[in-house]
Amino acid sequence: MDAKQILKRSERSWTVKNLWKTILEEAYELACPGVNPYVASKKNPRVQDKLFDSTAVSSTLRLTNRYFNEITPPSGEMATLEVGPLLEMQVGKDKAVEVNKQLEMVNDIVVMMFQTISFAGSVWSAWLDYVIAGMGVMLMLENVKDDLEPFLFEAVSQSEVAIEEGVGGAVNALSRKRSIRVSQIKELWDDAKVPSMLQKKSKDDPEVDVLEYCYLKDRVWSYVVIYADNNNPEIMVEREYSTCPFIVWRSMKISGSAYGLSRVLMALPDIRTANKSKEMVLKNAALALAGMYLAADDGVLNVDTIQITNGGIIPVARTGGSLGASIAPLETGRSFDVGQLVLEELRTQIKKALLDNQLPPLNGKVRSATEFIERQKELAEDIGGELPRLLMELVVPLYRRAIDIGSRRGMIPNLKIDQFALKVTVKTPLARGQDVQEVEKIVQWWQILTMLLGPQMAMAAVKMPDIVPYVSRMIGIPSDLYNNKTENEALQNQVVQLVAAQQAQQVQNSIPQQA
């Protein structure tokens, strides 16, 4: 496609995205106004004079940190590479175990690639957009200027991005509008062809509008940067990637729409009502503290010059009588109790919607380990519907992109992740909670067998050499710490030989005694 065709296709996607602008702007204003991308200037500090209740702000930041630590921990250990079911069926379980050990070494290198400040800062900012707007976007490019840090990560504000869906609901095109200075074009894209009209403006270094467009065609991602001049747009950068450089993950996606509802949008009615209720409570408190007064127009009291101060004297015509006092306080008749009750109920609903389920304070009674496990299970159940989408739209694309760049730089082998021959298994703390439930089933099953058959018959009824690696893999124990099937057979042979040797020695010792 030429520049005009790309701009036309991009505008179609932006027509849909602009329908979300009003509600997303309100969500940012109430949930985290300091990072509202829809304000006139993102660089200038803003006075937050429209926000009165901070419940949504604190819960939003806490949920962002929770996603960050549970799905993309700072250690970079999000998932592990393993043999898929198709390859395991072809090579057998014994060979699959050996391949998994080799994949563990590759996985260690990938984990090290993600242990950078650039990744941690970028993915946290993208998570904040995910919680508020329902979509996180991050740009992942190869760092050709540094051998120690192979990746360049950049958090992309969802306000700059419009997406298109292909068959099956996957994102197959992305349009990003941004303004940059002319001098930054070569810094961002060293292979850019700067138009002559921009070269003439390089001395003044003005900001110009550019369009980044990335689309999938014939299993190849085309990445194009266009100088977005309405009269004469020009393509400055053209690249091709085998994996998409933009990582886009969405929350509760609506059927038929490319965009998803966030938890903040779902709780927006309660957030809006709580903010308005807090504003009214504060105004009522101001009336109660400062007070309002009624003044009679009796020609003596001048309401323009009167000053109500501590210990002051106000000259008035009368202080009582049949006509009443010249000045008297106005009773408002309002109560704080009703407002506080409404606020507490709204705050509880907001925290519940934003998964703000904090542990009790440390000065309370001692909490058992079971309570912590149950809290982890509750979190896994609350976002259980999001996990499959997070796996396929965040974790798997991150690993595919990392292997693509790492193999091109000669750091790791070129592997193809298709979830059949080679799969990515999520091993984050949140996914561990679900794996622990599977392990608990095995433990309960073993206890039942022991009660019914006894320890010896239970040992004979189960495949203990297969249970040990399965349980170890589910709870994240490295394969180097337990024996595989071949090593177990060799160990059993050694035990049999040792027992046979001991029995032979006992027989030899008993012959002289019998004689």
Side-chain angles (χ1 to χ4, degrees):
M1 294 188 294
D2 58 21
K4 292 185 178 180
Q5 290 175 334
I6 292 176
L7 287 177
K8 185 177 181 180
R9 182 174 172 180
S10 173
E11 286 304 318
R12 288 202 303 265
S13 61
W14 274 102
T15 301
V16 178
K17 177 62 184 293
N18 289 334
L19 299 176
W20 291 75
K21 181 179 179 180
T22 302
I23 188 172
L24 291 179
E25 184 177 1
E26 184 183 10
Y28 276 99
E29 199 66 25
L30 293 176
C32 205
V35 297
N36 191 348
Y38 294 98
V39 295
S41 178
K42 302 177 184 178
K43 300 178 182 179
N44 296 338
R46 300 175 59 243
V47 179
Q48 301 176 11
D49 55 347
K50 297 181 180 179
L51 183 66
F52 299 95
D53 187 76
S54 61
T55 305
V57 177
S58 59
S59 297
T60 297
L61 296 177
R62 189 170 290 114
L63 181 57
T64 301
N65 292 329
R66 205 167 188 181
Y67 276 123
F68 173 70
N69 291 315
E70 297 286 351
I71 306 296
T72 55
S75 62
E77 198 169 353
M78 296 174 285
T80 182
L81 296 171
E82 293 182 351
V83 173
L86 183 61
L87 183 58
E88 183 177 352
M89 181 179 64
Q90 294 176 352
V91 302
K93 291 186 178 181
D94 296 340
K95 186 66 176 179
V97 172
E98 298 178 4
V99 177
N100 280 331
K101 285 189 175 182
Q102 297 177 359
L103 290 175
E104 285 182 4
M105 294 185 289
V106 176
N107 190 74
D108 292 340
I109 299 176
V110 175
V111 169
M112 290 298 296
M113 293 178 180
F114 288 121
Q115 291 179 354
T116 61
I117 298 177
S118 174
F119 174 73
S122 299
V123 76
W124 189 91
S125 300
W127 274 123
L128 185 60
D129 276 345
Y130 176 87
V131 173
I132 299 176
M135 183 174 71
V137 185
M138 187 169 60
L139 180 61
M140 183 177 177
L141 296 174
E142 180 181 358
N143 188 4
V144 296
K145 300 179 181 180
D146 191 355
D147 294 333
L148 299 179
E149 192 170 340
F151 303 146
L152 286 176
F153 296 98
E154 179 189 356
V156 180
S157 174
Q158 58 82 30
S159 63
E160 301 176 354
V161 174
I163 59 175
E164 301 175 26
E165 280 189 334
V167 178
V171 177
N172 67 346
L174 180 142
S175 173
R176 180 189 184 188
K177 293 182 178 180
R178 62 190 299 197
S179 297
I180 60 174
R181 297 194 306 272
V182 175
S183 61
Q184 292 179 318
I185 295 177
K186 279 292 185 180
E187 295 179 7
L188 294 172
W189 307 284
D190 53 357
D191 57 340
K193 299 177 182 179
V194 183
S196 58
M197 63 182 68
L198 292 182
Q199 293 178 1
K200 297 177 181 178
K201 302 178 181 179
S202 58
K203 294 182 179 180
D204 298 333
D205 199 17
E207 285 193 351
V208 295
D209 295 332
V210 297
L211 174 70
E212 296 176 63
Y213 196 77
C214 188
Y215 62 97
L216 179 64
K217 184 178 181 181
D218 297 332
R219 299 184 180 181
V220 176
W221 287 93
S222 297
Y223 175 77
V224 181
V225 181
I226 299 176
Y227 169 52
D229 186 0
N230 294 328
N231 298 324
N232 188 22
E234 293 188 33
I235 296 178
M236 298 188 297
V237 180
E238 284 186 281
R239 297 177 182 176
E240 288 187 350
Y241 298 106
S242 57
T243 54
C244 184
F246 288 95
I247 311 296
V248 181
W249 63 101
R250 297 163 291 177
S251 185
M252 295 168 279
K253 198 178 79 67
I254 305 173
S255 178
S257 173
Y259 302 95
L261 286 174
S262 66
R263 293 191 175 272
V264 169
L265 291 178
M266 297 293 289
L268 194 57
D270 287 337
I271 297 174
R272 189 188 297 118
T273 306
N275 191 65
K276 194 65 179 179
S277 299
K278 183 68 174 290
E279 180 184 1
M280 297 176 67
V281 167
L282 292 175
K283 288 181 178 179
N284 192 12
L287 291 177
L289 293 174
M292 295 180 64
Y293 297 89
L294 296 174
D297 188 9
D298 54 6
V300 177
L301 183 65
N302 188 351
V303 295
D304 295 327
T305 59
I306 186 174
Q307 292 184 357
I308 301 176
T309 59
N310 186 18
I313 299 176
I314 303 173
V316 296
R318 58 189 179 276
T319 58
S322 60
L323 297 178
S326 296
I327 183 171
L330 175 64
E331 297 295 335
T332 60
R334 297 181 179 91
S335 175
F336 292 94
D337 297 337
V338 177
Q340 290 296 336
L341 289 174
V342 172
L343 269 177
E344 289 302 321
E345 182 180 356
L346 290 171
R347 287 168 177 169
T348 302
Q349 294 297 327
I350 293 171
K351 290 183 177 182
K352 185 176 180 180
L354 297 181
L355 306 181
D356 188 3
N357 187 16
Q358 288 183 291
L359 291 172
L362 295 176
N363 56 4
K365 66 178 183 179
V366 179
R367 305 292 166 176
S368 64
T370 304
E371 181 175 348
F372 287 90
I373 295 175
E374 291 301 323
R375 292 285 180 92
Q376 193 74 8
K377 290 181 180 179
E378 183 179 356
L379 175 63
E381 292 174 357
D382 289 337
I383 67 172
E386 298 179 55
L387 278 179
R389 181 172 295 278
L390 290 175
L391 170 64
M392 300 308 299
E393 292 191 347
L394 174 61
V395 181
V396 173
L398 276 175
Y399 266 69
R400 284 176 176 167
R401 185 68 178 156
I403 291 175
D404 180 26
I405 297 176
S407 62
R408 190 162 56 247
R409 298 171 70 101
M411 302 176 67
I412 55 177
N414 188 8
L415 304 174
K416 181 181 179 181
I417 301 175
D418 56 3
Q419 297 299 102
F420 292 100
L422 181 64
K423 67 177 181 179
V424 173
T425 303
V426 179
K427 292 299 180 183
T428 59
L430 182 61
R432 296 282 187 204
Q434 294 183 337
D435 293 340
V436 168
Q437 297 180 13
E438 297 296 326
V439 174
E440 289 180 349
K441 292 180 182 178
I442 297 177
V443 173
Q444 294 175 358
W445 170 62
W446 169 254
Q447 292 175 348
I448 293 173
L449 290 180
T450 305
M451 294 173 57
L452 294 176
L453 305 177
Q456 294 181 351
M457 291 296 296
M459 287 288 292
V462 301
K463 297 180 179 180
M464 191 57 66
D466 294 335
I467 292 179
V468 173
Y470 177 78
V471 173
S472 302
R473 189 167 62 252
M474 292 294 288
I475 61 179
I477 303 300
S479 60
D480 295 336
L481 300 182
Y482 57 86
N483 295 328
N484 56 29
K485 188 175 181 180
T486 305
E487 293 171 338
N488 283 329
E489 291 177 355
L491 184 60
Q492 290 176 0
N493 293 333
Q494 293 178 4
V495 172
V496 171
Q497 294 175 3
L498 181 61
V499 172
Q502 291 177 352
Q503 292 177 350
Q505 185 66 31
Q506 291 176 359
V507 172
Q508 291 179 0
N509 294 336
S510 64
I511 292 175
Q513 295 177 0
Q514 292 176 1

